[in-house]
Amino acid sequence: MNQHRSVRTTIAPALLTVTAILALSACGTSEADSGSGATSTVTVRIPDPGNSGVLAVGKKDGSLDKALGKVGAEVEWTGSAGPFAPAAQAMNADQLDFATGSITSGITSLAQRPGFKFFTAVDPDAAGEGILVRDGSGIDSVADLVGKKVAVNQGGTGEYLLLKALAKAGIPADKVQRVYLRPDQTAAVFNAGKVDAWAVWATYAVAEIGSGKAHFVADGAAIGSDNYSLNAVRTGFAEKHPEVVKALYTYLHTSSVEEKKDPAAYLNVFTDVGPTAVTGKAEEVQTGFIAQGGTVDPIGPEDITRFEAVAAFYAEQKVTKSKVDVAAHLLDIESLT
């Protein structure tokens, strides 16, 4: 993992300051934005976090509402956390104020008419994402994927990881068949042998690796992935409530540092049984990935350079029609007050 975050001293000029973002056209105003007085409570609509992670802990123990309460805000849990593309659409439609996604799915969403800004970055997951194959598949390298079927989520992390792995190995993309599937529908297809490999990230890889029947033929580090995890905020919300966005960032950053120190405390937050629980070998895999992972931090100049490299790669691979200007959709969290 990168070790650069603790020594950052400058913020890239490309990031929007709060002054600049206020000059932008609003993307709509929700009831949460339209409080008539200073004493009204601001509602932040956040996808339900499920059974793990810092937001799950924040929901269970009330610490997130306590942190946001200091700036006159509270959380409304709505829907459930999932792929970024539908979350981006919900933010665009003024149905959601905050979401988490990857830079890869973020770029394809930015290629539309985005109503959101990215305001934090977590370093690419070198250990927890990659090209997953079944044990005994005979696929021992990226080169062995030639002529095979690989499941990917279109325009998101999976497609990026596969294309990046093939490019690094000098293999033309058309030598491998991409099978576009929703990640939450892929495990059954993968385990039934209907695809030969699955380009995937930790959310779905943990259960497969934990089963003892699958492994990464190439992980994020081997692929050279620049697939950052990002947090996004609806533009209209950030314009009206920068202090809430700053408070949310502070909570996420502090909690992510604690999670990295004690990953197990952030798993099975509400239940340790059932389909949302992580148990046995999978729990060991998950805690290992978290311990090796990054923390939620401001977006710095070096991050933007890597974001732009992903955008250029997507355009080169014709995932997007042209290079998306990522820098135009970033918010300098350290300028918010």
Side-chain angles (χ1 to χ4, degrees):
M1 296 302 297
N2 296 336
Q3 302 297 321
H4 60 260
R5 292 195 177 277
S6 61
V7 296
R8 289 181 179 159
T9 56
T10 59
I11 294 297
L15 267 70
L16 293 171
T17 64
V18 67
T19 302
I21 198 170
L22 286 170
L24 297 175
S25 298
C27 294
T29 302
S30 69
E31 290 182 11
D33 294 337
S34 57
S36 57
T39 58
S40 62
T41 300
V42 176
T43 299
V44 190
R45 296 165 299 180
I46 299 177
D48 189 277
N51 195 32
S52 63
V54 298
L55 290 177
V57 170
K59 179 184 179 182
K60 183 179 182 181
D61 66 12
S63 58
L64 179 56
D65 266 334
K66 183 178 179 181
L68 295 181
K70 295 177 181 179
V71 290
E74 65 181 7
V75 176
E76 176 187 328
W77 301 105
T78 177
S80 59
F84 183 71
Q89 292 173 353
M91 284 189 288
N92 293 347
D94 189 13
Q95 297 170 348
L96 195 65
D97 300 311
F98 169 88
T100 300
S102 64
I103 184 59
T104 46
S105 57
I107 286 171
T108 50
S109 294
L110 288 175
Q112 312 302 316
R113 293 176 61 85
F116 60 88
K117 306 291 179 189
F118 290 115
F119 67 100
T120 73
V122 178
D123 282 341
D125 189 355
E129 64 180 15
I131 312 297
L132 196 69
V133 298
R134 293 181 300 279
D135 292 353
S137 67
I139 299 174
D140 299 314
S141 69
V142 173
D144 292 334
L145 295 173
V146 171
K148 300 292 195 298
K149 296 179 180 179
V150 182
V152 302
N153 59 313
Q154 188 170 11
T157 292
E159 188 161 28
Y160 169 78
L161 291 171
L162 176 61
L163 292 173
K164 186 78 172 177
L166 295 176
K168 186 171 183 180
I171 299 168
D174 62 5
K175 297 295 184 182
V176 175
Q177 182 180 343
R178 277 169 269 175
V179 179
Y180 293 125
L181 293 170
R182 276 176 37 185
D184 59 352
Q185 297 177 336
T186 306
V189 177
F190 173 73
N191 287 306
K194 295 179 180 178
V195 293
D196 302 291
W198 181 6
V200 68
W201 60 102
T203 302
Y204 301 97
V206 165
E208 303 305 322
I209 296 173
S211 73
K213 298 178 181 179
H215 64 278
F216 284 136
V217 71
D219 61 15
I223 291 169
S225 171
D226 282 326
N227 187 38
Y228 283 76
S229 175
L230 307 176
N231 286 309
V233 61
R234 186 172 58 82
T235 306
F237 187 92
E239 288 173 343
K240 291 184 176 293
H241 307 296
E243 74 288 349
V244 178
V245 181
K246 184 66 175 285
L248 180 57
Y249 160 73
T250 300
Y251 181 86
L252 293 170
H253 169 74
T254 302
S255 298
S256 70
V257 172
E258 294 302 315
E259 182 186 32
K260 187 175 170 67
K261 292 177 183 175
D262 184 14
Y266 293 80
L267 296 178
N268 302 326
V269 174
F270 290 97
T271 179
D272 57 6
V273 296
T276 64
V278 183
T279 58
K281 179 66 174 178
E283 184 172 4
E284 180 183 327
V285 172
Q286 180 73 79
T287 54
F289 286 165
I290 295 171
Q292 295 176 69
T295 55
V296 175
D297 291 300
I299 298 169
E302 63 275 37
D303 304 317
I304 298 175
T305 298
R306 294 173 72 180
F307 296 171
E308 296 292 351
V310 177
F313 181 73
Y314 259 26
E316 175 190 320
Q317 295 289 328
K318 304 190 185 320
V319 176
T320 56
K321 293 181 180 179
S322 59
K323 182 177 178 293
V324 173
D325 183 6
V326 181
H329 303 282
L330 305 177
L331 178 60
D332 177 6
I333 193 64
E334 295 184 323
S335 76
L336 301 183
T337 56

